[in-house]
Amino acid sequence: MSIGMQAIVTVPLKGTVVKPTDQRILYTGRVSFTNPERPAWNFPGVQIIAAFEGTSLRMMAKPRSGYFMAQIDQAEPFKVAFCGERDSVVTLATALPYGRHTVRLMYVIEGYEFYPEFWGFVLDKGCSLADPPALPSRKIEFIGNSITCGYGNEGLKKEEHFDYATENHYYSYASIAARSLEAQHWVVARSGIGAYRNYNGPKTGNPESHMPVQYEYVGYAWKPELRSEASFLKEKWDFNRYQPDVVCINLGTNDLSTNNYDLKLLKKGYQKLLKMVRQHNPKAKIVFLTGSMLYNQELQQAKQLLDEVATEAQKAGDKEVYRFDMSPIAGNEWYGNDWHPNVYQDEKMAAELTAYLRTLMQWF
């Protein structure tokens, strides 16, 4: 079934319509509830989790919201697309054994061009939601760029360029590591963003749109003037809604990606971000990462700066700042689109990071 944005309000749907405001729906990630009937976001990794009764499930979303990964019970996850101008209802399951089932949805692309919204579920007639499963008690936050987003990781060649169809955060190192550790993971990440300078930005940096600015907001606006496009982009994030046990920061690739950078400004950018993250997450361990798209001189520069930032923070009294390096891409078989890691490289990075965090956090 495919209906238009207005039709979803005026045309009756067969079955029981569950609104996004139902208290039995769980949301994770930076979601705006300014309009509770239309929860909105644009960072990847946002999840919608619910338990439902019956034999079928349909999902409603704003047309052209983009791509989700869906999992019903313990079955293999599959990709769901809201890509057409009139696609607002998608069937997630049919002919299930009658009873209670669980659905887990994850938004797996960057939604800065789509402004995705969740509009609710449609169940079998007479059925309802049940109490949802408990969320994991372990909590991780990932702050990053395209690598954390999963840019191009389903692509087959490094020479092929970006397509939303080949970006899948579900298979990113961050998402895989979180599942391995049985932890929630919330994401603040955008392709091209830096700690002080975005991709190919001026040597003086991008103070209007780098991560120390964007970290404060519910959503991401690539340019400040675009904050008027959707109200939630102007909304400051309430950090009380999620206090992670550990924050992983993977930035620097874009700052160093073209030969027009200033190492002193980059270090100041790292320090500014660290101060901000610590202010909002006073009890969290903070881990600065590298991996996996820097090589040679730039990789050594990033490692040295991050080592200095962590060491200086510890000497200044913050004993919970750490460092970890994931493996750089080491051959064509590990590349996705635009020289980014593919899912195999993501799995490799996730294994490395999982082992490190398991020991650091004593998550055995």
Side-chain angles (χ1 to χ4, degrees), residues 155-159 292-295 327-346 348:
L156 301 178
K157 295 180 180 179
K158 62 181 182 295
E159 293 83 8
S292 58
M293 292 178 65
L294 288 175
Y295 313 91
S327 295
I329 300 174
N332 285 335
E333 66 271 28
W334 307 99
Y335 282 113
N337 293 156
D338 281 326
W339 301 79
H340 282 70
N342 62 17
V343 292
Y344 304 111
Q345 177 72 20
D346 270 314
K348 183 178 180 181

Side-chain angles (χ1 to χ4, degrees), residues 51-56 73 96-102 124 127-128 130:
F52 64 97
E53 300 172 345
T55 66
S56 70
D73 298 329
L96 295 170
Y98 185 85
R100 174 176 167 167
H101 302 279
T102 301
D124 292 346
C127 289
S128 64

Side-chain angles (χ1 to χ4, degrees), residues 37-205:
E37 299 281 343
R38 298 286 187 264
W41 67 90
N42 66 0
F43 287 124
V46 164
Q47 293 192 66
I48 302 165
I49 302 167
F52 64 97
E53 300 172 345
T55 66
S56 70
L57 180 68
R58 286 178 287 171
M59 172 187 175
M60 299 183 291
K62 175 184 172 184
R64 290 190 54 77
S65 281
Y67 292 95
F68 298 77
M69 288 291 283
Q71 183 179 29
I72 305 297
D73 298 329
Q74 299 304 312
E76 190 71 17
F78 57 95
K79 188 176 281 188
V80 175
F82 286 86
C83 292
E85 295 293 340
R86 296 174 64 82
D87 288 338
S88 59
V89 182
V90 169
T91 297
L92 300 182
T94 59
L96 295 170
Y98 185 85
R100 174 176 167 167
H101 302 279
T102 301
V103 60
R104 299 175 187 274
L105 293 157
M106 181 186 291
Y107 192 67
V108 294
I109 64 170
E110 302 166 69
Y112 70 98
E113 290 185 314
F114 297 104
Y115 308 113
E117 296 175 356
F118 174 62
W119 288 1
F121 292 118
V122 183
L123 311 180
D124 292 346
K125 185 176 181 180
C127 289
S128 64
L129 294 184
D131 290 336
L135 291 172
S137 59
R138 299 168 178 175
K139 297 178 181 179
I140 308 172
E141 180 175 74
F142 287 95
I143 302 172
N145 50 37
S146 57
I147 302 170
T148 300
C149 291
Y151 177 116
N153 62 353
E154 291 191 314
L156 301 178
K157 295 180 180 179
K158 62 181 182 295
E159 293 83 8
E160 293 177 350
H161 297 306
F162 178 77
D163 190 314
Y164 285 108
T166 62
E167 179 174 57
N168 195 332
H169 178 76
Y170 187 88
Y171 297 118
S172 69
Y173 77 91
S175 186
I176 296 171
R179 287 194 295 277
S180 298
L181 292 164
E182 298 180 338
Q184 295 184 53
H185 84 287
W186 293 35
V187 180
V188 185
R190 165 66 169 89
S191 291
I193 200 167
Y196 102 95
R197 170 180 174 259
N198 300 335
Y199 178 76
N200 204 27
K203 191 170 186 177
T204 53

Side-chain angles (χ1 to χ4, degrees), residues 274 288 307-319 321:
L274 173 58
F288 279 103
D307 288 346
E308 290 175 4
V309 170
T311 299
E312 290 168 13
Q314 291 167 357
K315 288 181 178 178
D318 191 339
K319 303 299 184 183
V321 181

